[in-house]
Amino acid sequence: MTRTRRVADTERTLQGLADGRSAVRLRAALAAGTAPGPHFVDKLVERCAVEPEFFVRDMLTWALVRHPVSLTLPRLLRETASEHAQARSQALHTLSKIGDRRAWPAVTPALLSDADDAVARSAWRAAVVLVPDGERSALAAVLAAQLGRGGQETQLSLGQALTALGEVSVPALDAAATAGDPRVRAHALATQRLLRDPDAGFQPAIEEAKRVVALDGAPGDGR
């Protein structure tokens, strides 16, 4: 391939990433990952922050993972401090896919408790992948402090993160299972069940936990 052809292909890919048609953006992200180059990294990261289509974002992440970590890591780390929620979320998601533990310091307590549920979910997933072995118990405590948060998708994500940490989550879950907030107790009980039986399924586990909590302290329970 001649240099002129390479330049033309690169320019077409860069333009495609900003195209108004999702199918064109998808093809451009695929092209950027198929033939990686330093000229794509900034544009891929920038597009992650604003891309509305999930399947295109997924391809953008794949394309970034295909590039050298030396190029992507610094740019993604800066993005975790963005004022835009999607930028933070996608950067954390991509860092979890890259899996380079040098990114661990960027997964701050602020991100782990981000007010935006999508950002928090991405931070939880990234944290489980990147956390050093000596900090797993501390991470479990930070995550358990958010039990009861959000809707089913968020609660499932948090439960999965805690179960992925394994036995180090047990003390934090045991404490949360006696909390005064019934949502926290139910979420902790459901996560305990998933830790014991990963095949149980979150929805059955949380429904059973809610019934247990609802009955706890009811008239006739002997208290």
Side-chain angles (χ1 to χ4, degrees):
M1 183 183 297
T2 66
R3 182 179 184 279
T4 301
R5 174 68 181 278
R6 286 197 299 271
V7 170
D9 286 349
T10 296
E11 187 60 31
R12 183 164 50 251
T13 297
L14 291 172
Q15 291 176 354
L17 290 172
D19 195 275
R21 295 162 293 180
S22 60
V24 175
R25 299 195 302 275
L26 183 67
R27 288 196 298 269
L30 175 62
T34 302
H39 35 270
F40 291 136
V41 172
D42 281 347
K43 292 297 183 182
L44 288 168
V45 173
E46 289 170 9
R47 190 65 212 175
C48 281
V50 297
E51 174 55 52
E53 300 291 344
F54 171 79
F55 61 92
V56 179
R57 293 199 302 272
D58 205 38
M59 187 66 77
L60 291 167
T61 290
W62 173 81
L64 283 165
V65 171
R66 293 268 298 166
H67 284 73
V69 176
S70 60
L71 296 177
T72 57
L73 190 60
R75 186 66 178 81
L76 291 167
L77 292 178
R78 291 197 300 271
E79 201 75 350
T80 63
S82 172
E83 63 182 10
H84 301 294
Q86 183 171 304
R88 300 194 301 276
S89 177
Q90 284 301 120
L92 288 162
H93 174 67
T94 306
L95 288 170
S96 74
K97 296 300 183 181
I98 292 172
D100 191 308
R101 285 189 168 183
R102 287 176 295 178
W104 166 245
V107 188
T108 62
L111 288 172
L112 290 168
S113 60
D114 199 284
D116 187 285
D117 284 346
V119 176
R121 290 194 299 266
S122 292
W124 300 336
R125 289 190 292 266
V128 169
V129 171
L130 301 173
V131 62
D133 291 341
E135 299 189 44
R136 293 171 68 85
S137 294
L139 174 61
V142 171
L143 296 183
Q146 297 185 76
L147 286 165
R149 169 180 175 167
Q152 182 174 325
E153 182 181 4
T154 296
Q155 292 198 3
L156 170 60
S157 183
L158 183 55
Q160 289 174 331
L162 284 161
T163 55
L165 288 172
E167 292 301 312
V168 299
S169 296
V170 169
L173 288 171
D174 287 347
T178 62
D181 187 331
R183 282 175 57 86
V184 174
R185 292 206 309 277
H187 197 181
L189 290 170
T191 305
Q192 285 177 325
R193 181 179 176 188
L194 289 179
L195 192 57
R196 294 191 301 268
D197 180 10
D199 296 325
F202 183 75
Q203 186 60 31
I206 193 68
E207 292 303 326
E208 178 185 343
K210 287 177 180 178
R211 287 194 293 271
V212 170
V213 170
L215 291 170
D216 185 27
D221 72 348
R223 295 187 182 185

